Amino acid sequence: MNIALLLGFSPQLRTVAELLEGAGFHCRVFATGRELIHRVSQERYDMLLLDDALPDLPAMEVVRAVRSARAPDVPIILLAADNSEDKLVDALDAGADDYICRPLNARVLMARITALRRRVTGERLRQGLVVQAGPYQLNSMGRFATLHGERIAMTPKEFDLAMMLFSNVGRVLTSERIQQAIWHHELPPLSRALAGLISRLRKTLHIGVANGIVITVVYAHGYRLDVLEEGIVPRLPRATSRVSLPDRSDC
């Protein structure tokens, strides 16, 4: 397993490279965020471990740069000093897969690396799946969507959310289930991260009545994706729960 370790100002992380090498991993150490961003587009890594206190760039900017164009699928673990919920949510929203607070425990770090590696391996085994709904197709191999045959680039979280919704047409997916699948934990009660991601997905894929697909907010439950018939927006039975219809801006 080939791991890239981006060191910052934390002296404890200098022992992480020795720990990884001792566990049988090949570890390449980088001193700056710019160096890592440059190399990750040229070399293949199975996982990135990033310090959150870097000499040249904010750690979140490095995560976003890696995700946006260079290595959208590589697992990323952020090693941080701040254990606040806000920092955790910011890291996961930026594209990190896991967030571990210092001081690091060697056994915990290795267990988290192993767990993330196992999860990613399982996801890669399922690659190649193509999901279709209405005029849309989602290609899990390339992690992109097409609308009427035109390719649409997506962020990792947008694609993961789209795959969940498009694979469950007509079914209500609870907010908790979506959060666990996308962020791998439940978000704080007042977090707007999921609602914001839903909004960005609608805009990215041009979801609305015009394209025959709507995402409905199911009050106090979650979200549901529907394929329309002749422009008619389906509703849940009243006995199930109240449903808020899509905003006019979504149509």
Side-chain angles (χ1 to χ4, degrees), residues 116-131:
L116 181 55
R117 181 187 185 187
R118 184 168 57 244
R119 187 175 78 230
V120 169
T121 300
E123 290 172 354
R124 286 174 178 170
L125 289 174
R126 294 190 292 272
Q127 286 184 350
L129 177 67
V130 175
V131 174

Side-chain angles (χ1 to χ4, degrees), residues 12-13 47 49-52 76-83 88 91-92 96-114 116:
Q12 186 192 13
L13 294 187
M47 189 172 296
L49 303 184
L50 312 182
D51 191 0
D52 71 332
I76 298 176
I77 298 178
L78 193 67
L79 309 174
D82 190 338
N83 64 355
L88 169 63
L92 297 175
D97 296 283
D98 204 350
Y99 184 94
I100 304 177
C101 291
R102 300 193 296 271
L104 298 176
N105 177 289
R107 292 182 60 195
V108 171
L109 176 61
M110 295 306 301
R112 299 283 275 273
I113 290 174
T114 301
L116 181 55

Side-chain angles (χ1 to χ4, degrees), residues 131 162-173 177 223-226:
V131 174
M163 281 296 289
M164 283 195 73
L165 292 169
F166 279 75
S167 299
N168 292 275
V169 172
R171 298 176 184 171
V172 177
L173 299 180
R177 178 180 172 185
Y223 298 87
R224 185 192 68 201
L225 183 140
D226 290 302

